Amino acid sequence: MKKVFVLLLVFLCACRSEEGAKLTVNAKNVPCKITRVVDGDTFRCRIDAEEITVRLIGVDTPESKENPKAKRDADRTGMSLEEITRMGREAYQFTKSLIPVGTTVYLETDVQLTDRYGRVLAYVWLPDGRMLNEVLLKEGYAQVYTIPPNVKYQDLFLSAQRKAREGKRGFWKQWF
């Protein structure tokens, strides 16, 4: 009986340490349960009792609402503000379909833990093993947006974007 108790205690401690994973620089496989998708490249999730905002590293999706960045993007691309925000809503819906509320994703951080807005910067692994950042690029709902020093998957992202452009996937079919 004592042996069973000790084994059970060891098992419970091992499980607890994974659940209690904390975010640090270069962390891997930190489980986080989705509580809200904010837009195509940002969401909120819960690690244990703490809710955090996560911004995907290396990708940028169009803005889903009129704001100064959406206006800058419209000016820069020559597209209308309405077109920019329509594409932003499409990216939001695509992301939401991949990580609905309640889904557990796994975070991987890089050199910087947060951005200037206090959002956690992460590569996000889906339950099926795909990386959300890469999927958005492959399907043409995002563009590569690299900000050093967080460049771990830059080559992978550039390749995914190139293939989406060549295949006229997602937004690329409208741009070319």
Side-chain angles (χ1 to χ4, degrees), residues 35-137:
T35 58
R36 177 176 171 245
V37 175
V38 176
D39 62 22
D41 53 32
T42 308
F43 61 87
R44 294 188 58 78
C45 64
R46 185 172 303 284
I47 298 176
D48 294 332
E50 181 182 4
E51 188 171 26
I52 62 171
T53 300
V54 175
R55 171 65 166 83
L56 299 176
I57 296 175
V59 302
D60 188 38
T61 61
E63 297 297 304
S64 57
K65 296 179 180 140
E66 286 189 26
N67 61 37
K69 184 180 181 298
K71 290 177 182 172
R72 283 192 308 274
D73 289 347
D75 290 342
R76 181 179 51 81
T77 63
M79 300 174 79
S80 71
L81 187 57
E82 293 76 23
E83 183 69 5
I84 295 286
T85 56
R86 182 192 61 75
M87 291 186 330
R89 288 188 299 274
E90 284 182 42
Y92 162 74
Q93 289 299 328
F94 184 73
T95 299
K96 196 172 171 182
S97 75
L98 293 171
I99 55 169
V101 171
T103 303
T104 297
V105 296
Y106 300 87
L107 308 181
E108 177 181 349
T109 60
D110 205 338
V111 177
Q112 292 175 317
L113 189 58
T114 60
D115 66 9
R116 64 182 174 168
Y117 304 107
R119 301 175 297 188
V120 170
L121 299 170
Y123 304 105
V124 177
W125 298 90
L126 301 169
D128 65 8
R130 296 179 298 161
M131 185 197 308
L132 176 59
N133 316 52
E134 181 186 14
V135 171
L136 286 166
L137 292 164

Side-chain angles (χ1 to χ4, degrees), residues 9-21:
L9 184 61
V10 168
F11 174 76
L12 290 174
C13 289
C15 290
R16 192 171 232 289
S17 66
E18 185 175 313
E19 287 175 9

